[in-house]
Amino acid sequence: MIVVVKRGQDRKQVDNLENWIKSLGLGVHESEGENSLIIGLVGDTSKVDIGLIRSLDIVESVTRVQEPYKNANRKFHPQDTLIDVGGHVFGGKNFQIIAGPCSIESEKQIIEVAEAVQKAGATILRGGAFKPRTSPYSFQGLGVEGLKLLKKAKKETGMPIVTEIMSEERIDDFEDVDILQVGARNMQNFDLLRRLGKLNTPILLKRGIAATIEEWLMSAEYIMSEGNPNVILCERGIRTYETYTRNTLDISAIPVLKERTHLPVIVDPSHASGISRLVKPLSLASVGAGADGLIIEVHNDPVHALCDGAQSLTPLQFEDTVRSIDLMLDAVNKTRDK
Amino acid sequence: MIVVVKRGQDRKQVDNLENWIKSLGLGVHESEGENSLIIGLVGDTSKVDIGLIRSLDIVESVTRVQEPYKNANRKFHPQDTLIDVGGHVFGGKNFQIIAGPCSIESEKQIIEVAEAVQKAGATILRGGAFKPRTSPYSFQGLGVEGLKLLKKAKKETGMPIVTEIMSEERIDDFEDVDILQVGARNMQNFDLLRRLGKLNTPILLKRGIAATIEEWLMSAEYIMSEGNPNVILCERGIRTYETYTRNTLDISAIPVLKERTHLPVIVDPSHASGISRLVKPLSLASVGAGADGLIIEVHNDPVHALCDGAQSLTPLQFEDTVRSIDLMLDAVNKTRDK
Amino acid sequence: MIVVVKRGQDRKQVDNLENWIKSLGLGVHESEGENSLIIGLVGDTSKVDIGLIRSLDIVESVTRVQEPYKNANRKFHPQDTLIDVGGHVFGGKNFQIIAGPCSIESEKQIIEVAEAVQKAGATILRGGAFKPRTSPYSFQGLGVEGLKLLKKAKKETGMPIVTEIMSEERIDDFEDVDILQVGARNMQNFDLLRRLGKLNTPILLKRGIAATIEEWLMSAEYIMSEGNPNVILCERGIRTYETYTRNTLDISAIPVLKERTHLPVIVDPSHASGISRLVKPLSLASVGAGADGLIIEVHNDPVHALCDGAQSLTPLQFEDTVRSIDLMLDAVNKTRDK
Amino acid sequence: MIVVVKRGQDRKQVDNLENWIKSLGLGVHESEGENSLIIGLVGDTSKVDIGLIRSLDIVESVTRVQEPYKNANRKFHPQDTLIDVGGHVFGGKNFQIIAGPCSIESEKQIIEVAEAVQKAGATILRGGAFKPRTSPYSFQGLGVEGLKLLKKAKKETGMPIVTEIMSEERIDDFEDVDILQVGARNMQNFDLLRRLGKLNTPILLKRGIAATIEEWLMSAEYIMSEGNPNVILCERGIRTYETYTRNTLDISAIPVLKERTHLPVIVDPSHASGISRLVKPLSLASVGAGADGLIIEVHNDPVHALCDGAQSLTPLQFEDTVRSIDLMLDAVNKTRDK
């Protein structure tokens, strides 16, 4: 961390600052500039509150050289983290496809979709039971009943399942769920993150709608610092001024994350665009960018989906997308898990 | 709601759509365009899922004419909502100033600040006990202990208190708190909102960092639809590409909200800018824009504040700000509560 | 276009509005809603000023059903536009790679880079002579001298050339340039666009840093409406709150544009990210998303490039990127032009 | 400027970098950190190309301590710049109101509006002759004919005039115009800026729709570095994800600019919001934030304005706004010029 002190400051105040820094167990290197004094902090600064230093009257600016995340940082963990979900591995050279309906609606629906996506190449089944909806008047999901149906589909097909958890109060209902999803709206629900950090179940951590990559990794850090190393990051689009698509898929986040962190990174092209016609091109783009997998909405009857139908593929469209993905994986040196 | 059907659609599919709309208790008006068929939905469409209609293959676009919020809508409740907090009223011609430290640190600190801001003109005391922090390694607040100190300051000064609640699991600890604050990160923590909707305590609902005005009002609607009409909206800056200030204070949101909703609207200039030097000009700007009040961070020793010190005023700066506010209130036909 | 009239309006005012609409040669369809009156405008509304109608006191909202662009609209021109540049075709199943240095620095440099990128697979040579720079103190390009060197490289290698034009005053200097580039900062320099519309030379129109897709297509429309149909669109990243990359590559814009317009669409991964390590993954992502080509910065000595070195590939890295692109083109049914 | 070198770099490469820095006439201070080497650049770094250093393989990050603008920088010019326009001074304790129609339509219109706004308190007359419009099919202004009418209104009323110039080719037509406006779309039309820098006429420089404050000041620097010190900055809203208002007025930019630069700063509440009902509250907010003036659209017949009618005030509404402004100026220690 580098602290630039404004010119003409009282030496005593500078000494106070340096003493305080040393009291945190850090070393100090001073360097004189023409218009300013530069103080370098030496040691592990990941736990230093940058805002606190910035707040001091004598300080012009503070720059972090070291990233504030540690457990998630590739610098300290150069190898890819591999996360095994019922025999299907996320990370490394593996490419996983998660698929399923936005909302679970009935036993028939979830099992039909599960069988269709499994046949077409999906290895993990997704399905929403508790749905975060902007309006209190929109369908909120089948809740506990939906979870039961999802588990039934798991039993029928042998596919591991992933579904969203919105509140730490309900955690007991989510036993037997193979991956717990934290939605974009809860990416900074820190009580929930800490609670999930006490489990060992893999967590699918979606990016908040306006979260920076650093904030996102800090949320992963909340989970990991409590003891759960199994975090899968999921890019799902960010909010920008452009309104043609619901969100703007931040495709660059994928290679940036692959550099910064050892955690697996997947993409949700369905939520990112909100338009089913864009799911295939965005899936192929994600492969090209180096993603470790995809999570795609598939519905056996999109027209009657109770939510988000506009972004769901039919099983046929999903099959076609998987076929095209297979044609691209060689170029990125990945193998689709089957 | 207006549905534009793509040209050349099968009449039978259009009939299916219209029958489904009628099954929701709505009327249908058809109008033929050159390139499209226009269907107007007549009746209360606030509970219609716009995404569902948009998802249909035959639909070109859907436009909402009616706002999706009802309880918060000024159209159905033209008079300003007045919310009485220990004799201090939010809304109408009243102007309230909430002030206090970012974090509660000690009994001495919170009581000293409380007395200072009360003397200078604040009517409500703020103070953070549970702090949502981006990093798990930053100071997270004194928690329950902090709440106790805040209540002590209330007893000493007679000032009503406001503090942030982050999880519905802890709601019992917040008894005797006069206003419960929902932070920006929890604006769409729907389980928490619904739980707070079952109380009668006023809720200070901060705007999410990338929330639209409509999403924000829908979150108020979550609280109100459960029975709690006492929602105070708090603009605290949104995330944009500009990084000179921490967030971009959306000053236009104030007059827009005063048109759309009957709820009181206040501004947090401290978090919006993150820079103490900007708190005064942004406070005066908020008065000009028609805000019903302000929530301002004040610390008796900003240099050593454990968090957010850079944005806190000293008691002297706070006094000076209040004096200037008083010079402006006539222009907007408001009276500062004392 | 659909106009929603506020409820309870004077019939005479509504008649005035409808008569004015009819005077523009458009038909009118009225439809009564519960809370509003809906007027559909029938005919070619692309030339109607939506702001004008929105400004009327009696109007609640106006929605465009028809896009405001005509020449660029795929609805009226379903076939892909094919643009031949010295025997290399943009559009259809063709994939073109443009490459070269950010700035032209010397004869040796531009010819060496030209030969290197040609050998590796580029078909068109890029090079900046007039450089738009944020600071008046930064290197502004070699100007006319740079153009001469670029034309020399064209003569030596036989490669068509593309370079940026910043002002209509200098148009005569750009004779013999095969593609004229309009930079992001000039996307709405309407005098320049109109001037270029009077030529027949292909125009590479970069997206403005905060331009919507519709505004971008309207800028293409400025060129096309003056008579020049040869517009190539170039996505180069948009400005968002995220600062890890210089801009955020809007990968979704590619499939959206391929639907909306018949014009070729290429991607500039170098400017989008500003980081050379991201150029390869973003190039592959662009292929997956369906782009018709790429424009990539390549420098024979990135360390000493006078500008934008951080985003330039070495010839070796460029070769490697082209090899990977070749492995992906089958999946999107494209062929790289050689 | 501070350069952080990655750990474990070859000493020879570091020496090369330092020698190159010294060759620019700058001094070098080295400081060793645990994980990195820190190099401080001493001297006038405003002309150093930060991108060039960032591009070097051995560099981890570069931070500017000194701002890249010099002429516009308050550090080197602590006193407010005062700009006299026909006896009306911008800057210091003065508050100026510019008003007039969006587009000049006829002699009768411009003179009527001029007389009305002058009577109500405006000191400078605005009016658009050349209009930058997103669509080539929208009304583009009366052009040279409009300029003539504007000059006639100046003669009739004695008010100085301001109007937008879009191209340096037309500069001769703008003689006798008292303030030349550069619109948001041309904020980085560097050829135009440089040309205007050779005049002595005051320039009203609007902020680009997605320009940072630093980029904006760099555009002022383009004008000033050519010799014209008379730049008035005009905040007019930035593009964000929020769509209730056309743009988001960045009210914080005003106090930030007043700190960073000595140039006068005014606000355009009409374009910022695009909604006439918001012009008054945003005007008052701008006063509170410390603006040196306002530029407001006023039309004698908003319903029939050829463009932007939705954001124009009637003369009566304008009068009412000025009256309220007068009630607030004391609080910010300003006096409205009359």
Side-chain angles (χ1 to χ4, degrees):
Chain A
M1 197 175 287
I2 295 163
V3 178
V4 180
V5 176
K6 290 178 197 160
R7 62 177 160 182
Q9 294 305 315
D10 185 12
R11 184 67 225 178
K12 214 180 122 196
Q13 284 201 280
V14 177
D15 289 341
N16 283 347
L17 171 60
E18 295 190 351
N19 288 333
W20 176 78
I21 293 168
K22 287 173 191 161
S23 77
L24 299 173
L26 297 165
V28 160
H29 267 87
E30 237 186 58
S31 152
E32 192 74 45
E34 199 178 33
N35 291 316
S36 49
L37 178 76
I38 295 156
I39 301 174
L41 276 63
V42 187
D44 174 12
T45 58
S46 69
K47 300 185 182 185
V48 174
D49 208 338
I50 194 169
L52 178 50
I53 298 177
R54 204 171 267 149
S55 76
L56 299 170
D57 265 354
I58 63 169
V59 170
E60 170 104 22
S61 69
V62 189
T63 311
R64 220 182 243 294
V65 177
Q66 199 185 351
E67 295 86 359
Y69 42 92
K70 235 187 150 101
N71 290 292
N73 197 333
R74 194 182 274 277
K75 275 193 192 155
F76 308 119
H77 187 311
Q79 244 72 52
D80 275 9
T81 280
L82 301 180
I83 299 177
D84 187 316
V85 180
H88 304 287
V89 178
F90 285 79
K93 297 199 169 185
N94 307 287
F95 194 87
Q96 299 292 345
I97 302 179
I98 304 173
C102 175
S103 288
I104 300 156
E105 293 162 30
S106 69
E107 182 173 335
K108 186 170 174 302
Q109 174 242 20
I110 186 67
I111 290 178
E112 272 184 26
V113 175
E115 287 171 342
V117 299
Q118 188 176 37
K119 199 177 135 228
T123 48
I124 319 265
L125 177 66
R126 60 152 289 159
F130 294 90
K131 302 294 303 173
R133 305 299 305 274
T134 302
S135 166
Y137 309 124
S138 296
F139 174 61
Q140 314 272 323
L142 293 182
V144 177
E145 183 55 31
L147 284 182
K148 277 186 204 154
L149 300 177
L150 187 63
K151 289 174 194 171
K152 212 161 201 169
K154 173 182 176 177
K155 213 174 148 190
E156 289 284 325
T157 60
M159 295 175 89
I161 54 177
V162 52
T163 195
E164 178 165 355
I165 180 163
M166 287 170 63
S167 166
E168 67 270 31
E169 286 194 312
R170 295 185 182 283
I171 208 157
D172 295 339
D173 296 330
F174 287 76
E175 236 186 306
D176 296 331
V177 172
D178 300 280
I179 306 178
L180 294 170
Q181 176 178 318
V182 175
R185 291 175 180 85
N186 278 316
M187 192 202 83
Q188 293 194 317
N189 182 337
F190 301 123
D191 282 323
L192 177 60
L193 297 179
R194 261 192 293 251
R195 185 71 190 76
L196 298 176
K198 298 205 163 72
L199 307 176
N200 204 40
T201 315
I203 308 299
L204 186 70
L205 181 65
K206 290 203 157 189
R207 182 181 189 175
I209 204 169
T212 62
I213 288 175
E214 188 170 299
E215 287 168 345
W216 190 10
L217 288 172
M218 291 311 290
S219 286
E221 195 77 13
Y222 260 94
I223 298 168
M224 299 173 89
S225 67
E226 295 288 336
N228 186 348
N230 301 310
V231 178
I232 301 165
L233 300 167
C234 179
E235 161 67 29
R236 42 77 74 210
I238 58 173
R239 184 160 276 179
T240 70
Y241 68 85
E242 178 59 79
T243 55
Y244 255 91
T245 46
R246 192 162 56 181
N247 300 295
T248 297
L249 180 64
D250 181 9
I251 196 82
S252 319
I254 302 164
V256 168
L257 284 168
K258 298 304 289 179
E259 256 188 33
R260 304 272 160 173
T261 185
H262 48 87
L263 298 172
V265 181
I266 68 170
V267 174
D268 178 344
S270 307
H271 279 86
S273 65
I275 302 171
S276 64
R277 292 185 312 275
L278 299 188
V279 172
K280 183 178 171 182
L282 296 184
S283 294
L284 300 186
S286 303
V287 172
D292 295 309
L294 291 163
I295 177 165
I296 296 179
E297 280 189 17
V298 179
H299 201 286
N300 49 354
D301 181 5
V303 179
H304 294 100
L306 289 177
C307 80
D308 282 348
Q311 70 202 23
S312 287
L313 298 186
T314 62
L316 270 178
Q317 292 168 327
F318 176 68
E319 251 186 79
D320 170 58
T321 300
V322 177
R323 261 196 307 272
S324 296
I325 289 170
D326 283 347
L327 291 174
M328 299 189 91
L329 287 169
D330 261 6
V332 289
N333 201 17
K334 296 249 181 205
T335 309
R336 184 164 67 77
D337 188 41
K338 278 159 198 177
Chain B
M1 196 176 287
I2 295 163
V3 178
V4 180
V5 176
K6 290 178 195 159
R7 62 176 163 184
Q9 295 304 315
D10 184 12
R11 184 66 225 179
K12 213 180 125 196
Q13 285 200 280
V14 177
D15 288 342
N16 283 347
L17 171 59
E18 295 191 351
N19 288 334
W20 176 79
I21 293 167
K22 287 174 190 160
S23 77
L24 300 173
L26 296 165
V28 160
H29 267 86
E30 236 185 57
S31 154
E32 193 73 45
E34 199 178 32
N35 291 317
S36 50
L37 177 76
I38 295 156
I39 301 174
L41 276 62
V42 187
D44 175 11
T45 58
S46 68
K47 300 186 182 184
V48 174
D49 208 338
I50 195 169
L52 179 50
I53 299 179
R54 204 171 266 150
S55 76
L56 299 170
D57 265 354
I58 62 169
V59 170
E60 170 102 24
S61 69
V62 189
T63 310
R64 219 181 245 295
V65 178
Q66 199 185 351
E67 295 86 0
Y69 41 92
K70 233 185 153 104
N71 289 293
N73 198 332
R74 196 182 272 278
K75 275 193 191 154
F76 308 120
H77 187 310
Q79 243 73 51
D80 275 9
T81 280
L82 301 179
I83 300 178
D84 187 316
V85 181
H88 305 289
V89 178
F90 285 80
K93 298 198 168 184
N94 307 286
F95 193 87
Q96 299 291 346
I97 302 179
I98 304 173
C102 175
S103 288
I104 300 156
E105 293 161 30
S106 69
E107 182 172 334
K108 186 170 174 300
Q109 173 241 21
I110 186 69
I111 290 178
E112 272 184 26
V113 175
E115 286 171 345
V117 299
Q118 188 175 37
K119 199 176 135 229
T123 48
I124 319 264
L125 177 66
R126 60 152 290 157
F130 294 92
K131 303 294 303 173
R133 305 299 306 275
T134 303
S135 165
Y137 310 124
S138 296
F139 174 60
Q140 313 272 323
L142 292 183
V144 176
E145 183 57 29
L147 284 182
K148 277 186 202 153
L149 300 178
L150 188 62
K151 288 175 194 171
K152 213 159 200 170
K154 173 181 176 179
K155 214 173 148 190
E156 289 284 324
T157 60
M159 295 176 88
I161 54 176
V162 53
T163 195
E164 178 165 355
I165 180 164
M166 287 170 63
S167 165
E168 67 270 31
E169 284 194 312
R170 295 185 181 283
I171 206 155
D172 294 340
D173 295 329
F174 287 75
E175 235 184 307
D176 295 331
V177 171
D178 301 279
I179 305 179
L180 294 170
Q181 177 179 317
V182 176
R185 292 175 178 85
N186 278 316
M187 194 202 83
Q188 294 194 318
N189 182 337
F190 300 124
D191 282 324
L192 176 61
L193 298 180
R194 259 191 294 251
R195 184 70 190 76
L196 298 177
K198 297 204 163 72
L199 307 176
N200 205 41
T201 317
I203 308 299
L204 186 69
L205 181 65
K206 290 205 157 188
R207 182 181 188 174
I209 204 169
T212 62
I213 289 176
E214 188 170 300
E215 287 168 346
W216 189 10
L217 288 172
M218 291 312 289
S219 286
E221 196 77 14
Y222 260 94
I223 298 168
M224 299 173 89
S225 67
E226 295 288 336
N228 186 347
N230 301 311
V231 179
I232 300 165
L233 300 167
C234 179
E235 162 66 29
R236 42 79 73 213
I238 58 173
R239 184 160 275 180
T240 70
Y241 67 85
E242 178 59 78
T243 54
Y244 254 91
T245 46
R246 190 162 55 180
N247 300 294
T248 298
L249 180 64
D250 182 8
I251 196 82
S252 318
I254 303 165
V256 167
L257 283 168
K258 298 304 290 179
E259 256 188 35
R260 303 274 160 171
T261 184
H262 47 87
L263 297 172
V265 181
I266 69 170
V267 174
D268 178 344
S270 306
H271 279 87
S273 65
I275 301 172
S276 64
R277 293 185 311 276
L278 299 188
V279 171
K280 183 179 169 182
L282 295 183
S283 294
L284 299 187
S286 303
V287 172
D292 296 308
L294 291 163
I295 177 165
I296 296 180
E297 280 190 16
V298 178
H299 201 284
N300 48 355
D301 181 5
V303 178
H304 295 101
L306 289 176
C307 79
D308 282 350
Q311 69 202 24
S312 287
L313 298 187
T314 62
L316 270 179
Q317 292 168 326
F318 177 67
E319 251 185 79
D320 170 59
T321 300
V322 176
R323 261 196 306 272
S324 295
I325 289 170
D326 283 347
L327 290 174
M328 299 189 89
L329 287 169
D330 262 6
V332 290
N333 202 16
K334 297 248 182 206
T335 308
R336 183 162 66 78
D337 188 39
K338 280 159 197 176
Chain C
M1 197 175 289
I2 295 162
V3 178
V4 180
V5 177
K6 289 177 196 161
R7 60 177 163 182
Q9 294 305 315
D10 183 13
R11 184 67 225 179
K12 214 180 124 194
Q13 285 200 280
V14 177
D15 289 342
N16 283 347
L17 171 59
E18 296 191 350
N19 287 334
W20 176 78
I21 293 168
K22 286 174 192 161
S23 76
L24 299 173
L26 298 165
V28 160
H29 267 88
E30 238 187 56
S31 153
E32 191 75 44
E34 201 178 31
N35 291 317
S36 50
L37 178 76
I38 295 156
I39 301 174
L41 276 62
V42 187
D44 175 12
T45 58
S46 69
K47 300 185 183 185
V48 174
D49 207 338
I50 195 169
L52 179 50
I53 298 179
R54 205 171 266 150
S55 76
L56 299 171
D57 265 354
I58 63 169
V59 170
E60 170 102 24
S61 69
V62 189
T63 311
R64 219 181 246 294
V65 177
Q66 199 185 349
E67 296 86 358
Y69 42 92
K70 238 190 147 100
N71 290 292
N73 198 332
R74 196 182 272 279
K75 275 194 192 155
F76 307 119
H77 187 310
Q79 244 72 51
D80 275 9
T81 280
L82 301 180
I83 299 178
D84 188 315
V85 181
H88 305 287
V89 178
F90 284 80
K93 298 200 168 184
N94 307 287
F95 193 86
Q96 300 291 346
I97 302 179
I98 304 173
C102 174
S103 287
I104 299 155
E105 293 162 32
S106 69
E107 182 172 336
K108 187 170 174 301
Q109 173 241 22
I110 186 69
I111 289 178
E112 272 184 25
V113 176
E115 286 171 343
V117 299
Q118 188 175 37
K119 199 178 135 227
T123 48
I124 319 265
L125 177 66
R126 60 151 290 157
F130 293 92
K131 303 294 303 173
R133 305 300 304 274
T134 303
S135 165
Y137 310 123
S138 297
F139 174 61
Q140 314 271 323
L142 293 183
V144 176
E145 183 56 29
L147 284 182
K148 277 186 203 152
L149 300 177
L150 187 63
K151 288 175 195 171
K152 211 158 200 170
K154 173 182 175 177
K155 214 174 148 188
E156 290 284 324
T157 60
M159 293 176 90
I161 54 177
V162 54
T163 195
E164 178 164 355
I165 180 163
M166 287 170 63
S167 166
E168 66 270 32
E169 285 193 312
R170 295 186 182 282
I171 207 156
D172 294 339
D173 295 329
F174 286 77
E175 236 186 306
D176 295 331
V177 171
D178 301 278
I179 305 179
L180 294 170
Q181 177 178 318
V182 176
R185 291 176 180 85
N186 278 316
M187 194 202 83
Q188 293 193 318
N189 182 337
F190 301 124
D191 282 325
L192 177 60
L193 297 180
R194 260 191 295 250
R195 185 70 191 77
L196 297 177
K198 297 206 163 72
L199 307 176
N200 205 40
T201 316
I203 308 299
L204 186 69
L205 181 65
K206 290 204 157 188
R207 183 182 190 174
I209 204 169
T212 63
I213 289 176
E214 189 170 300
E215 287 168 345
W216 189 10
L217 288 172
M218 290 312 289
S219 286
E221 195 77 13
Y222 260 94
I223 298 168
M224 299 172 89
S225 67
E226 295 287 337
N228 186 348
N230 300 312
V231 179
I232 302 165
L233 300 167
C234 180
E235 162 67 28
R236 43 80 72 213
I238 58 173
R239 184 159 275 179
T240 70
Y241 67 85
E242 178 59 78
T243 55
Y244 255 91
T245 46
R246 191 163 56 182
N247 299 296
T248 298
L249 179 64
D250 182 9
I251 196 83
S252 318
I254 302 164
V256 168
L257 283 168
K258 298 304 290 178
E259 257 188 35
R260 302 274 160 172
T261 184
H262 47 87
L263 298 172
V265 181
I266 69 170
V267 174
D268 179 343
S270 306
H271 279 87
S273 65
I275 302 172
S276 64
R277 294 185 311 276
L278 299 188
V279 171
K280 182 179 170 183
L282 295 184
S283 294
L284 301 186
S286 303
V287 173
D292 296 309
L294 291 163
I295 177 164
I296 295 180
E297 280 189 17
V298 179
H299 200 285
N300 49 355
D301 181 7
V303 178
H304 296 100
L306 290 177
C307 80
D308 281 349
Q311 70 203 24
S312 287
L313 297 186
T314 62
L316 270 180
Q317 292 168 326
F318 176 67
E319 250 186 81
D320 170 58
T321 300
V322 176
R323 262 197 305 272
S324 294
I325 289 170
D326 283 347
L327 291 175
M328 299 188 90
L329 287 168
D330 261 6
V332 289
N333 202 16
K334 297 248 183 205
T335 308
R336 183 163 68 77
D337 188 41
K338 280 158 197 176
Chain D
M1 197 176 287
I2 296 163
V3 178
V4 180
V5 176
K6 290 178 196 160
R7 61 175 162 183
Q9 294 305 315
D10 183 13
R11 184 65 225 180
K12 213 180 123 197
Q13 285 200 281
V14 177
D15 288 341
N16 283 347
L17 172 59
E18 295 190 352
N19 288 335
W20 176 78
I21 292 167
K22 287 172 192 163
S23 76
L24 299 173
L26 297 165
V28 160
H29 268 87
E30 238 187 56
S31 152
E32 192 75 42
E34 199 178 33
N35 291 316
S36 49
L37 178 76
I38 295 157
I39 301 174
L41 276 62
V42 187
D44 174 11
T45 58
S46 69
K47 300 186 182 183
V48 174
D49 208 338
I50 194 169
L52 179 50
I53 299 178
R54 204 171 267 148
S55 74
L56 299 171
D57 264 355
I58 62 169
V59 170
E60 170 104 23
S61 70
V62 188
T63 311
R64 218 181 247 295
V65 178
Q66 199 185 350
E67 295 86 0
Y69 41 93
K70 237 188 150 107
N71 290 292
N73 197 333
R74 197 183 273 276
K75 275 193 193 156
F76 307 119
H77 187 310
Q79 245 71 51
D80 275 9
T81 280
L82 300 179
I83 300 177
D84 187 317
V85 181
H88 304 288
V89 177
F90 284 80
K93 297 198 169 185
N94 307 286
F95 194 87
Q96 299 292 346
I97 303 179
I98 304 173
C102 175
S103 288
I104 299 155
E105 293 162 29
S106 69
E107 181 173 336
K108 186 170 175 303
Q109 175 242 19
I110 186 67
I111 290 179
E112 271 184 26
V113 176
E115 288 172 342
V117 298
Q118 188 174 38
K119 200 178 134 228
T123 49
I124 319 265
L125 177 65
R126 59 151 290 158
F130 293 91
K131 302 294 302 173
R133 304 300 304 275
T134 303
S135 165
Y137 309 123
S138 296
F139 174 61
Q140 313 271 323
L142 291 183
V144 176
E145 183 55 29
L147 284 182
K148 277 187 203 154
L149 300 178
L150 187 63
K151 289 174 194 172
K152 212 159 200 168
K154 173 182 175 178
K155 213 173 149 190
E156 290 283 325
T157 60
M159 294 176 89
I161 54 177
V162 53
T163 195
E164 178 164 354
I165 181 163
M166 288 170 63
S167 166
E168 67 270 31
E169 286 195 311
R170 295 184 182 284
I171 207 155
D172 294 339
D173 295 329
F174 287 75
E175 236 184 309
D176 295 331
V177 171
D178 301 279
I179 305 178
L180 294 169
Q181 177 178 317
V182 176
R185 291 174 180 87
N186 277 316
M187 192 202 83
Q188 294 193 318
N189 182 337
F190 300 123
D191 282 324
L192 177 60
L193 297 180
R194 260 192 294 250
R195 185 70 190 77
L196 298 177
K198 298 205 163 73
L199 306 177
N200 205 40
T201 317
I203 309 299
L204 186 70
L205 181 64
K206 290 203 157 189
R207 181 180 190 175
I209 204 168
T212 62
I213 288 175
E214 188 170 300
E215 288 169 344
W216 189 11
L217 288 172
M218 291 312 289
S219 286
E221 195 76 14
Y222 260 94
I223 298 167
M224 299 173 90
S225 67
E226 295 287 336
N228 186 348
N230 301 310
V231 178
I232 301 165
L233 300 167
C234 179
E235 161 67 29
R236 41 79 73 212
I238 58 173
R239 184 159 275 180
T240 70
Y241 67 84
E242 177 59 79
T243 55
Y244 254 91
T245 46
R246 189 162 57 181
N247 300 295
T248 298
L249 180 64
D250 182 9
I251 196 82
S252 319
I254 303 164
V256 168
L257 284 168
K258 299 304 290 178
E259 256 188 35
R260 304 272 160 174
T261 184
H262 48 87
L263 298 172
V265 181
I266 69 170
V267 175
D268 179 345
S270 306
H271 279 86
S273 65
I275 302 171
S276 64
R277 294 184 311 275
L278 299 188
V279 171
K280 183 180 169 182
L282 295 184
S283 295
L284 300 186
S286 303
V287 172
D292 296 309
L294 291 163
I295 177 164
I296 297 180
E297 281 189 16
V298 179
H299 201 285
N300 50 354
D301 181 5
V303 179
H304 294 101
L306 289 177
C307 79
D308 282 348
Q311 70 203 24
S312 287
L313 297 186
T314 62
L316 270 179
Q317 292 167 326
F318 176 68
E319 250 186 80
D320 170 58
T321 300
V322 176
R323 261 196 307 272
S324 295
I325 289 169
D326 283 347
L327 290 175
M328 299 189 90
L329 286 168
D330 261 6
V332 289
N333 202 16
K334 297 247 182 206
T335 308
R336 183 162 67 77
D337 188 40
K338 278 157 197 177

